[in-house]
Amino acid sequence: MTVSWFASREQNFAENGKMSVSGSSSKVRLMAMFVLLFALFSSQSSAAQVPLLMWSSEGLPPLASPAAGHITSNDQLTAYLTSAFGSGPNTVLLFLQDKLSKEDFTLFGGVFGNKQDSAFQNLEAALQASPSSVSLPALEWSDSSVMLALLQEKLDVSPVLVDADTLSHLSINTSASNLLLINLPYCTGLEKSCKEVLHENDGIIGEVLSIMKDKGVHFTAMYTGLQPSRVIPERSMSQQAVGRSLLQAVESTVKEPIMFNVTGNPCIMLWSQNLNISLTGEWIDLAAQTPSLDGSICNGSNSLLVLTYASGHILRFAMSQRLYKVSARNWFTLDSVQLQLKDLTASYIGRRNIYAPAEYSFHCQSVTSFRDTLLVPSSNNNKNTTQWRLNFVDFQIQGFGLANGTNFSYASDCAGFFTAGIWMGLITSLLMLWIFVYGMHMIMQLNTMDRFDDPKGPSISVPQTE
């Protein structure tokens, strides 16, 4: 029943392609087609349907293979049952589960050959031991009483509700038709998982089949559901676009950068996915609020971005640029970041770690004041602000050289090309390579003996000069 169980039989299915025939080799092809039809029907049909497994201790008439995506109708099932129960008395075991869908087999059966993980071990064993079996992955479902009413009509008997204990003490009259009904529960999601419930149902199936075998009664067993456990809703054609159309573009959820303009031209730009601050242990994301830029200034050498929020928090980003003679170019630094709430202010120094060429922007995935700190708390902070924390996620800022208008310039990222891990890997590899080369060199310098001592002759005298 499981995907792993059927996978090993796909080769036989490809060569024969029959769904229901007699004999052990045809049973293998039957189950291989069963799993393939499961996948086909899952993607091609959205109508309500239940699977049906049917096997017999004597034999079943063959059933033609349906086309991919075909849903077996009640009329087709009626015609097949007429041929299966055409003459003579029949004993039918109907395992009727509250809910069942083909997805239950693929989800809770053992996959990748893990047979012990399958929830249908007894069911698989019964199908393997049966002379012939029939699998209908998609049986048309309209009402929960259809299957029971159909069997009552064909067998012309009333069903007898039994369980394993009742069946062991029940005397079965094989000279007349019998319809034995075994109800099986389905998971409700409250006490047990679906896999546990299906595993217990499989144990009941195995126990019932074992009792029937001990009694020596020939039977035909059927396993299906009162209703499907999973139904894919079918969309109305009136809600679908007709003809060819482009896929709908995904609406952008990227926020606009904070931009401070002077005389209509951008002067300072800042963007961050999150501007998280923690004052009393609880994190607040200021990026979700719209700030006022009053108090911001910028000129050729200094820039100050002041973000005033309605919650009373104030963030100040102070930047400066200067010429460094060693590199012969201007660099800008984020000198400090200040967080103010009422009369309390905490300052953080950033110039040691946050810098970039003046015509570039600076970007870093994480700018924090407490872990891998790029913002170093100032020693002048009040003791009431020593526990304040900043955490800027996907942070990018530029205070000079905004030649691209409303776009950031090329970003100088805080992550270098060579991290500590890369350097350690390179140094270790070079050390191992040196040891290998040195070892090869020493092996190549070994010389074999060119003189050997003859025990019958005089001893070899090797001068010290050699």
Side-chain angles (χ1 to χ4, degrees), residues 107-364:
L107 286 175
F108 305 114
V111 295
F112 304 114
N114 188 6
K115 302 291 291 183
Q116 297 180 352
D117 193 45
S118 173
F120 304 97
Q121 296 183 11
N122 291 317
L123 186 60
E124 292 177 5
L127 292 171
Q128 288 181 342
S130 174
S132 62
S133 58
V134 168
S135 301
L136 298 178
L139 178 63
E140 180 185 0
W141 179 87
S142 58
D143 187 80
S144 58
S145 60
V146 171
M147 178 59 65
L148 193 57
L150 184 59
L151 289 177
Q152 286 184 249
E153 179 185 353
K154 293 301 176 184
L155 299 176
D156 195 21
V157 292
S158 298
V160 178
L161 182 61
V162 297
D163 55 23
D165 294 334
T166 305
L167 185 61
S168 61
H169 299 89
L170 182 66
S171 177
I172 302 176
N173 183 12
T174 57
S175 61
S177 295
N178 301 280
L179 178 56
L180 305 179
L181 175 62
I182 300 95
N183 283 332
L184 301 174
Y186 192 72
C187 57
T188 60
L190 298 177
E191 298 180 355
K192 298 181 180 179
S193 65
C194 291
K195 186 173 183 179
E196 291 175 340
V197 174
L198 292 174
H199 188 273
E200 292 178 358
N201 292 347
D202 182 70
I204 295 175
I205 294 176
E207 188 175 357
V208 169
L209 296 179
S210 178
I211 293 173
M212 296 296 292
K213 182 178 180 181
D214 294 339
K215 289 180 176 291
V217 177
H218 295 291
F219 63 90
T220 299
M222 302 176 68
Y223 178 48
T224 186
L226 281 170
Q227 57 181 324
S229 59
R230 293 169 178 82
V231 178
I232 303 175
E234 186 173 3
R235 293 180 57 189
S236 173
M237 291 300 295
S238 60
Q239 300 177 358
Q240 301 182 11
V242 180
R244 296 182 178 181
S245 61
L246 295 175
L247 295 177
Q248 183 178 1
V250 179
E251 295 182 1
S252 176
T253 58
V254 178
K255 303 186 299 290
E256 292 292 332
I258 298 173
M259 188 179 304
F260 176 65
N261 298 319
V262 175
T263 64
N265 295 320
C267 182
I268 306 174
M269 289 182 63
L270 179 144
W271 190 90
S272 184
Q273 183 67 38
N274 302 101
L275 293 172
N276 297 318
I277 64 171
S278 175
L279 306 180
T280 59
E282 181 180 357
W283 287 97
I284 302 174
D285 185 12
L286 296 180
Q289 306 177 28
T290 302
S292 170
L293 305 184
D294 295 340
S296 302
I297 59 173
C298 67
N299 52 49
S301 58
N302 294 280
S303 294
L304 176 63
L305 180 63
V306 181
L307 307 179
T308 305
Y309 295 92
S311 58
H313 301 89
I314 301 176
L315 274 175
R316 293 184 177 90
F317 298 87
M319 294 169 283
S320 63
Q321 71 158 327
R322 56 178 294 191
L323 175 66
Y324 288 82
K325 296 182 179 180
V326 175
S327 60
R329 68 188 305 174
N330 288 333
W331 291 73
F332 91 86
T333 57
L334 179 61
D335 297 332
S336 66
V337 176
Q338 287 186 346
L339 173 60
Q340 180 179 349
L341 179 62
K342 297 180 180 179
D343 297 332
L344 297 177
T345 301
S347 298
Y348 303 88
I349 302 171
R351 71 171 65 94
R352 302 173 187 173
N353 303 299
I354 302 178
Y355 53 87
E359 63 274 16
Y360 288 4
S361 63
F362 173 83
H363 174 267
C364 194

Side-chain angles (χ1 to χ4, degrees), residues 49-84:
Q49 54 196 254
V50 293
L52 172 65
L53 295 181
M54 185 174 177
W55 67 99
S56 175
S57 59
E58 293 183 320
L60 292 172
L63 180 65
S65 175
H70 174 73
I71 299 178
T72 305
S73 64
N74 290 327
D75 294 338
Q76 292 172 327
L77 178 63
T78 302
Y80 179 75
L81 293 181
T82 300
S83 61

